[in-house]
Amino acid sequence: MMQGVGTLGGAVAVYAAARMGLSAWKHQKLAERNRDQAEVILHAAYNARRALGYLRSPWMSGGELAAAEEKLNSSEPKWRNSIVEEKQKRLITAQAYYMRANQLLDDRTKLEDCLPMARALFGEALENAIETLHHQFHIVRTYADAYVDDYNGTDRDFTVKIRRALFAANKRTAGEENEVSDAIDTSIATIEATCLPYLRMEAL
């Protein structure tokens, strides 16, 4: 009888160990999946930040502006008609922004692709941060459109806001406002706070 009890006890112990092993295995696989996805999200976010820096660079080469003008000439040969010279220059600059944005489509797409898993694995805050970062590409393009029509400069505050959106501020004094730069910084901070612990194994 004691032998039977011992056998049963051994079977229970083996079963319990197996359950514990399965639980540990599931935990490990989940941790690996979260870590891998966190790496993908961080990579996409950093590339998007770099892409936005390029998109908002205030320096445009002569070749870049010439290519933009050529694009306008080929798509709308009479685009200069009835447009004052200052607005013509701004149209060329805006077209250069559009062409930059098109070159960065892959970075934007990869960031957007992170959204479903970001919410599923890490929650709404991370999803919102990625959406905000992604939205800055659209904001820059919108202000590029506004830049064309602002050639008169009748609304100084709006003119300043346009320039803040289009031009990245590499160095800002304390308290200086730049809506797009601030949105990028805040989004990246949230993404890093969520994802970096998984890469450093602190969230396991």
Side-chain angles (χ1 to χ4, degrees):
M1 179 178 175
M2 293 301 295
Q3 184 178 2
V5 172
T7 302
L8 179 61
V12 171
V14 170
Y15 175 74
R19 286 292 300 271
M20 290 178 61
L22 179 61
S23 177
W25 178 81
K26 287 182 177 179
H27 179 76
Q28 179 182 352
K29 289 300 179 183
L30 179 60
E32 289 175 355
R33 182 179 64 176
N34 288 355
R35 182 195 62 208
D36 291 345
Q37 190 61 39
E39 183 176 356
V40 170
I41 291 171
L42 270 173
H43 188 264
Y46 287 155
N47 282 344
R49 179 174 61 180
R50 189 177 300 109
L52 282 163
Y54 165 69
L55 177 60
R56 301 174 67 215
S57 172
W59 183 81
M60 287 188 176
S61 68
E64 193 173 6
L65 293 172
E69 185 173 2
E70 183 179 348
K71 177 67 175 177
L72 286 170
N73 290 335
S74 62
S75 60
E76 186 58 52
K78 297 181 180 181
W79 67 276
R80 292 182 186 274
N81 294 357
S82 303
I83 299 178
V84 297
E85 184 178 357
E86 178 59 29
K87 190 169 183 178
Q88 291 176 16
K89 294 177 181 178
R90 288 176 175 248
L91 273 169
I92 293 172
T93 300
Q95 181 61 43
Y97 275 104
Y98 304 153
M99 293 171 71
R100 281 182 176 182
N102 289 337
Q103 293 173 19
L104 302 171
L105 181 59
D106 186 54
D107 291 316
R108 293 161 52 198
T109 299
K110 288 180 178 178
L111 183 66
E112 189 175 28
D113 288 344
C114 293
L115 284 168
M117 294 304 292
R119 184 180 184 90
L121 295 178
F122 306 107
E124 185 178 359
L126 181 61
E127 179 191 38
N128 290 341
I130 294 173
E131 283 186 331
T132 298
L133 183 60
H134 183 268
H135 188 55
Q136 301 316 302
F137 289 98
H138 173 71
I139 288 177
V140 173
R141 288 199 54 158
T142 298
Y143 277 109
D145 290 333
Y147 175 75
V148 175
D149 295 322
D150 188 55
Y151 65 94
N152 288 324
T154 54
D155 187 340
R156 184 181 180 281
D157 290 340
F158 188 53
T159 298
V160 171
K161 192 171 184 178
I162 290 171
R163 292 187 176 277
R164 286 202 303 258
L166 294 181
F167 305 143
N170 294 325
K171 294 182 179 179
R172 286 179 285 165
T173 58
E176 184 178 357
E177 186 179 25
N178 187 308
E179 295 88 343
V180 175
S181 295
D182 291 342
I184 293 170
D185 292 345
T186 301
S187 297
I188 290 293
T190 299
I191 293 168
E192 287 182 331
T194 304
C195 295
L196 281 176
Y198 288 91
L199 271 65
R200 297 168 177 169
M201 309 303 285
E202 296 169 6
L204 304 184

